[in-house]
Amino acid sequence: MAPKSRVIFDTDPGVDDMLAMLLALASSPEEIELLMISVTYGNVPLKSCLKNVVSMFHVLDKELEWRRSQGKPEGFASLRAYKPVVAIGPEHALEEEILMEDGFHGSDGLHGVHEAHPHLNPDETWKSLFEDGVPTPAQDPAYYSYFTPSKVPAHKEMLRILKEEPANTITICAVGPMTNLAMAAAEDPETFLRAKEVCVMGGAIEVPGNITPVAEFNTYADAIATARVFALTSAVPSSTMPVVPQTIAKLPPYPENLSRRLKILLFPLDITTPHLLNRNFFFDSVTPHVKEGSPLAMWINTIMGGVFRQIEKNYGDDEEPGLSLHDPLTIWYNITRDHPAWKLARSEPEDIRIETSGQWTHGMHVSDSRGRKRAPGAGSAIGVTADGQGAVDVAVDEIPGDDFGWLSAKRGNRIHRWAESPGFDKFAPDLMHRLFS
């Protein structure tokens, strides 16, 4: 059996974010250890995202209590085995003060579930856990036992964990705007590079975008942050760093000589969109648990009902609506990473760069599809040894006239992009089984 995945989950909950966290917590302790939930803005404003995380733990506490009272197996073994840190990041992107949410997830991020089920809402005293100078409640609610709140900014907590844990043992799953990751990488790039890998849900490579014709929402929300993190996969990070206007507060550049390169595993819309949780299958699966009185089933049933109505509103009712399991796919990968059906789009890492200044192409993932001859070694993950432990020396092998480094052996990003999984039709049943078996 493969070693468990030890995960920092950077998220902007969000319906599919919530399903991803539930999947992680419902896994076995031998599959996933959730070390940290790093909360960012995105699908809804930051405070709503944080409330959704805290509410999830409150609902899970109610669910486990209900299952025990019914003589049912508790499940959620990872939830009971570990206690992740929960920390929050900034309220906006590096480049913008206000982000226009896409509206898909509803005004609260979970399609009105807090109003629909007030008995499943946590008491507002939880806010004191994350605010300096505010006294904590005299008696902690039971659900506090499932997480460790932090008043330290999320990017600093991320760096602390990466510094304290052995190198190459922590996977970061980034399923929202990558502001927290960019801030951590800027503050201490060598510590950030101790991460085993970063699983990024973002981008649209060979399919249309979902927020503009060419851009996916997470990347669009903070394209500069994404570009900065992607640059760490390059042997020459400065070759793909974004050009930032003087009006925007700059993060410092990276040192010229870093000890290693970042490994990014990209989950773009190309692979995530076909992994659907369809309406009929969902209601067939959840309704028996709702009728039994499961708090979690009632909670998710309300959320998903809102999702399916939103999909019908956006796209019509000609076809059965289904929620694309974008963010949960990164967790499913960490559970099933040794399955031979996981396949990359290319045998070698791709030079994928982020457009940060285009009027119509902001947030676009750009690659060179002209089919030109590249420098020897240009497709390799240059700068990383086979075991991922350190850097290797690479000869400067350039193509004359290649001013932007698209054919270079050193310049440009090196991204591993997933194209196939163990099965589009297998994920939703596995997800529902893990949550309610």
Side-chain angles (χ1 to χ4, degrees), residues 57-87:
F57 284 110
H58 181 258
V59 171
L60 287 174
D61 180 58
K62 296 292 185 184
E63 176 71 9
L64 296 187
E65 180 183 2
W66 175 79
R67 290 185 184 187
R68 288 190 292 267
S69 72
Q70 299 296 308
K72 296 177 177 290
E74 290 180 84
F76 286 92
S78 184
L79 169 72
R80 294 182 284 113
Y82 307 116
K83 189 175 181 179
V85 172
V86 175

Short mmCIF file of all heavy atoms in Angstrom, two decimals, residues 57-87:
data_model
loop_
_atom_site.label_atom_id
_atom_site.label_comp_id
_atom_site.label_asym_id
_atom_site.label_seq_id
_atom_site.Cartn_x
_atom_site.Cartn_y
_atom_site.Cartn_z
N PHE A 57 -17.34 21.42 10.07
CA PHE A 57 -16.96 20.66 11.27
C PHE A 57 -18.12 20.54 12.24
O PHE A 57 -18.30 19.49 12.89
CB PHE A 57 -15.76 21.34 11.95
CG PHE A 57 -14.45 21.11 11.25
CD1 PHE A 57 -13.82 22.15 10.58
CD2 PHE A 57 -13.86 19.86 11.24
CE1 PHE A 57 -12.61 21.94 9.93
CE2 PHE A 57 -12.65 19.63 10.60
CZ PHE A 57 -12.03 20.68 9.94
N HIS A 58 -18.93 21.58 12.34
CA HIS A 58 -20.10 21.53 13.23
C HIS A 58 -21.09 20.46 12.76
O HIS A 58 -21.61 19.67 13.56
CB HIS A 58 -20.77 22.91 13.25
CG HIS A 58 -21.97 22.98 14.14
ND1 HIS A 58 -23.25 22.95 13.66
CD2 HIS A 58 -22.08 23.09 15.49
CE1 HIS A 58 -24.11 23.03 14.66
NE2 HIS A 58 -23.42 23.12 15.78
N VAL A 59 -21.34 20.43 11.44
CA VAL A 59 -22.26 19.43 10.90
C VAL A 59 -21.70 18.03 11.07
O VAL A 59 -22.44 17.09 11.41
CB VAL A 59 -22.55 19.73 9.41
CG1 VAL A 59 -23.32 18.59 8.77
CG2 VAL A 59 -23.33 21.03 9.27
N LEU A 60 -20.40 17.86 10.86
CA LEU A 60 -19.81 16.53 11.03
C LEU A 60 -19.89 16.06 12.47
O LEU A 60 -20.10 14.87 12.74
CB LEU A 60 -18.35 16.55 10.55
CG LEU A 60 -18.16 16.62 9.04
CD1 LEU A 60 -16.69 16.78 8.69
CD2 LEU A 60 -18.74 15.37 8.36
N ASP A 61 -19.75 16.98 13.43
CA ASP A 61 -19.91 16.62 14.84
C ASP A 61 -21.34 16.11 15.09
O ASP A 61 -21.53 15.09 15.77
CB ASP A 61 -19.61 17.81 15.72
CG ASP A 61 -19.76 17.50 17.20
OD1 ASP A 61 -19.07 16.58 17.67
OD2 ASP A 61 -20.57 18.17 17.86
N LYS A 62 -22.32 16.81 14.52
CA LYS A 62 -23.72 16.38 14.65
C LYS A 62 -23.94 15.03 13.97
O LYS A 62 -24.69 14.18 14.47
CB LYS A 62 -24.65 17.43 14.05
CG LYS A 62 -24.63 18.78 14.74
CD LYS A 62 -25.22 18.70 16.13
CE LYS A 62 -25.32 20.08 16.78
NZ LYS A 62 -25.81 19.98 18.18
N GLU A 63 -23.30 14.85 12.82
CA GLU A 63 -23.46 13.60 12.07
C GLU A 63 -22.90 12.41 12.85
O GLU A 63 -23.55 11.35 12.95
CB GLU A 63 -22.76 13.71 10.72
CG GLU A 63 -22.77 12.45 9.88
CD GLU A 63 -24.14 12.09 9.31
OE1 GLU A 63 -25.06 12.93 9.42
OE2 GLU A 63 -24.29 10.99 8.76
N LEU A 64 -21.70 12.56 13.41
CA LEU A 64 -21.11 11.45 14.15
C LEU A 64 -21.92 11.13 15.41
O LEU A 64 -22.08 9.97 15.78
CB LEU A 64 -19.66 11.77 14.51
CG LEU A 64 -18.68 11.94 13.34
CD1 LEU A 64 -17.26 12.07 13.86
CD2 LEU A 64 -18.78 10.79 12.37
N GLU A 65 -22.44 12.17 16.06
CA GLU A 65 -23.29 11.96 17.22
C GLU A 65 -24.55 11.19 16.83
O GLU A 65 -24.98 10.27 17.53
CB GLU A 65 -23.66 13.31 17.83
CG GLU A 65 -24.55 13.23 19.07
CD GLU A 65 -24.94 14.59 19.60
OE1 GLU A 65 -24.56 15.63 18.98
OE2 GLU A 65 -25.64 14.63 20.62
N TRP A 66 -25.13 11.56 15.69
CA TRP A 66 -26.35 10.88 15.20
C TRP A 66 -26.04 9.43 14.84
O TRP A 66 -26.82 8.53 15.17
CB TRP A 66 -26.90 11.63 13.99
CG TRP A 66 -28.07 10.95 13.35
CD1 TRP A 66 -29.37 10.97 13.78
CD2 TRP A 66 -28.06 10.11 12.19
NE1 TRP A 66 -30.17 10.20 12.95
CE2 TRP A 66 -29.38 9.67 11.97
CE3 TRP A 66 -27.05 9.70 11.32
CZ2 TRP A 66 -29.72 8.84 10.89
CZ3 TRP A 66 -27.38 8.87 10.25
CH2 TRP A 66 -28.69 8.45 10.06
N ARG A 67 -24.92 9.19 14.17
CA ARG A 67 -24.58 7.82 13.77
C ARG A 67 -24.38 6.94 15.00
O ARG A 67 -24.80 5.78 15.01
CB ARG A 67 -23.34 7.82 12.89
CG ARG A 67 -23.57 8.42 11.51
CD ARG A 67 -22.35 8.31 10.60
NE ARG A 67 -22.58 8.97 9.33
CZ ARG A 67 -21.74 8.92 8.29
NH1 ARG A 67 -20.60 8.24 8.40
NH2 ARG A 67 -22.02 9.56 7.16
N ARG A 68 -23.73 7.48 16.02
CA ARG A 68 -23.55 6.70 17.25
C ARG A 68 -24.89 6.38 17.89
O ARG A 68 -25.11 5.26 18.37
CB ARG A 68 -22.65 7.46 18.23
CG ARG A 68 -21.18 7.52 17.82
CD ARG A 68 -20.31 8.06 18.94
NE ARG A 68 -20.58 9.47 19.22
CZ ARG A 68 -19.93 10.49 18.67
NH1 ARG A 68 -18.94 10.25 17.81
NH2 ARG A 68 -20.22 11.73 18.98
N SER A 69 -25.80 7.34 17.90
CA SER A 69 -27.12 7.12 18.51
C SER A 69 -27.93 6.08 17.75
O SER A 69 -28.81 5.43 18.33
CB SER A 69 -27.90 8.44 18.58
OG SER A 69 -28.34 8.85 17.29
N GLN A 70 -27.64 5.93 16.45
CA GLN A 70 -28.36 4.97 15.62
C GLN A 70 -27.65 3.63 15.53
O GLN A 70 -28.12 2.71 14.84
CB GLN A 70 -28.53 5.54 14.21
CG GLN A 70 -29.32 6.84 14.13
CD GLN A 70 -30.75 6.66 14.56
OE1 GLN A 70 -31.45 5.78 14.07
NE2 GLN A 70 -31.21 7.49 15.50
N GLY A 71 -26.52 3.51 16.21
CA GLY A 71 -25.77 2.27 16.14
C GLY A 71 -25.10 2.05 14.81
O GLY A 71 -24.81 0.91 14.43
N LYS A 72 -24.83 3.11 14.08
CA LYS A 72 -24.20 3.02 12.77
C LYS A 72 -22.70 3.23 12.89
O LYS A 72 -22.22 3.89 13.82
CB LYS A 72 -24.78 4.08 11.82
CG LYS A 72 -26.26 3.91 11.50
CD LYS A 72 -26.75 5.06 10.62
CE LYS A 72 -28.19 4.87 10.22
NZ LYS A 72 -28.35 3.74 9.26
N PRO A 73 -21.92 2.69 11.95
CA PRO A 73 -20.49 3.00 11.93
C PRO A 73 -20.28 4.50 11.76
O PRO A 73 -20.97 5.15 10.99
CB PRO A 73 -19.98 2.22 10.71
CG PRO A 73 -21.01 1.16 10.46
CD PRO A 73 -22.32 1.75 10.89
N GLU A 74 -19.32 5.04 12.50
CA GLU A 74 -19.12 6.49 12.45
C GLU A 74 -18.55 6.96 11.12
O GLU A 74 -18.90 8.02 10.63
CB GLU A 74 -18.18 6.92 13.59
CG GLU A 74 -18.79 6.80 14.96
CD GLU A 74 -17.82 7.25 16.04
OE1 GLU A 74 -17.74 8.47 16.29
OE2 GLU A 74 -17.14 6.39 16.61
N GLY A 75 -17.64 6.17 10.53
CA GLY A 75 -16.97 6.64 9.33
C GLY A 75 -16.07 7.82 9.64
O GLY A 75 -15.73 8.08 10.79
N PHE A 76 -15.69 8.56 8.61
CA PHE A 76 -14.86 9.76 8.74
C PHE A 76 -13.66 9.50 9.65
O PHE A 76 -13.39 10.23 10.60
CB PHE A 76 -15.69 10.93 9.24
CG PHE A 76 -16.60 11.49 8.19
CD1 PHE A 76 -17.91 11.02 8.06
CD2 PHE A 76 -16.15 12.45 7.30
CE1 PHE A 76 -18.74 11.50 7.07
CE2 PHE A 76 -16.97 12.93 6.30
CZ PHE A 76 -18.28 12.47 6.18
N ALA A 77 -12.94 8.43 9.31
CA ALA A 77 -11.83 8.00 10.16
C ALA A 77 -10.70 9.03 10.19
O ALA A 77 -10.07 9.23 11.23
CB ALA A 77 -11.31 6.64 9.67
N SER A 78 -10.43 9.65 9.05
CA SER A 78 -9.37 10.66 9.03
C SER A 78 -9.73 11.86 9.90
O SER A 78 -8.87 12.43 10.58
CB SER A 78 -9.08 11.12 7.59
OG SER A 78 -8.01 12.01 7.54
N LEU A 79 -11.00 12.25 9.91
CA LEU A 79 -11.47 13.32 10.77
C LEU A 79 -11.19 13.00 12.23
O LEU A 79 -10.77 13.87 13.01
CB LEU A 79 -12.97 13.54 10.56
CG LEU A 79 -13.70 14.44 11.56
CD1 LEU A 79 -13.31 15.90 11.34
CD2 LEU A 79 -15.21 14.26 11.45
N ARG A 80 -11.41 11.76 12.61
CA ARG A 80 -11.26 11.37 14.00
C ARG A 80 -9.81 11.11 14.39
O ARG A 80 -9.46 11.13 15.56
CB ARG A 80 -12.12 10.13 14.29
CG ARG A 80 -13.61 10.41 14.19
CD ARG A 80 -14.49 9.21 14.52
NE ARG A 80 -14.53 8.22 13.45
CZ ARG A 80 -14.04 6.99 13.53
NH1 ARG A 80 -13.45 6.59 14.65
NH2 ARG A 80 -14.13 6.15 12.51
N ALA A 81 -8.95 10.88 13.38
CA ALA A 81 -7.55 10.56 13.67
C ALA A 81 -6.65 11.78 13.73
O ALA A 81 -5.65 11.78 14.47
CB ALA A 81 -7.02 9.59 12.60
N TYR A 82 -6.98 12.82 12.98
CA TYR A 82 -6.10 13.98 12.88
C TYR A 82 -6.86 15.26 13.21
O TYR A 82 -8.09 15.26 13.29
CB TYR A 82 -5.51 14.07 11.47
CG TYR A 82 -4.83 12.81 11.00
CD1 TYR A 82 -5.32 12.09 9.91
CD2 TYR A 82 -3.70 12.33 11.66
CE1 TYR A 82 -4.71 10.93 9.48
CE2 TYR A 82 -3.08 11.16 11.23
CZ TYR A 82 -3.59 10.46 10.14
OH TYR A 82 -2.98 9.31 9.72
N LYS A 83 -6.12 16.33 13.40
CA LYS A 83 -6.71 17.61 13.79
C LYS A 83 -6.04 18.72 12.99
O LYS A 83 -5.03 19.28 13.42
CB LYS A 83 -6.55 17.83 15.29
CG LYS A 83 -7.33 19.03 15.84
CD LYS A 83 -7.21 19.10 17.36
CE LYS A 83 -8.01 20.27 17.91
NZ LYS A 83 -7.92 20.34 19.40
N PRO A 84 -6.58 19.07 11.82
CA PRO A 84 -5.91 20.06 10.97
C PRO A 84 -5.96 21.46 11.55
O PRO A 84 -6.90 21.84 12.26
CB PRO A 84 -6.71 19.99 9.67
CG PRO A 84 -8.07 19.51 10.08
CD PRO A 84 -7.82 18.55 11.21
N VAL A 85 -4.94 22.23 11.24
CA VAL A 85 -4.94 23.66 11.52
C VAL A 85 -5.87 24.34 10.51
O VAL A 85 -5.91 23.96 9.34
CB VAL A 85 -3.52 24.25 11.38
CG1 VAL A 85 -3.53 25.77 11.48
CG2 VAL A 85 -2.61 23.65 12.43
N VAL A 86 -6.63 25.32 10.97
CA VAL A 86 -7.43 26.15 10.07
C VAL A 86 -6.93 27.59 10.21
O VAL A 86 -6.92 28.15 11.31
CB VAL A 86 -8.94 26.08 10.39
CG1 VAL A 86 -9.73 27.04 9.51
CG2 VAL A 86 -9.45 24.65 10.22
N ALA A 87 -6.50 28.17 9.10
CA ALA A 87 -5.98 29.54 9.11
C ALA A 87 -6.51 30.27 7.89
O ALA A 87 -6.85 29.65 6.87
CB ALA A 87 -4.45 29.54 9.10
#
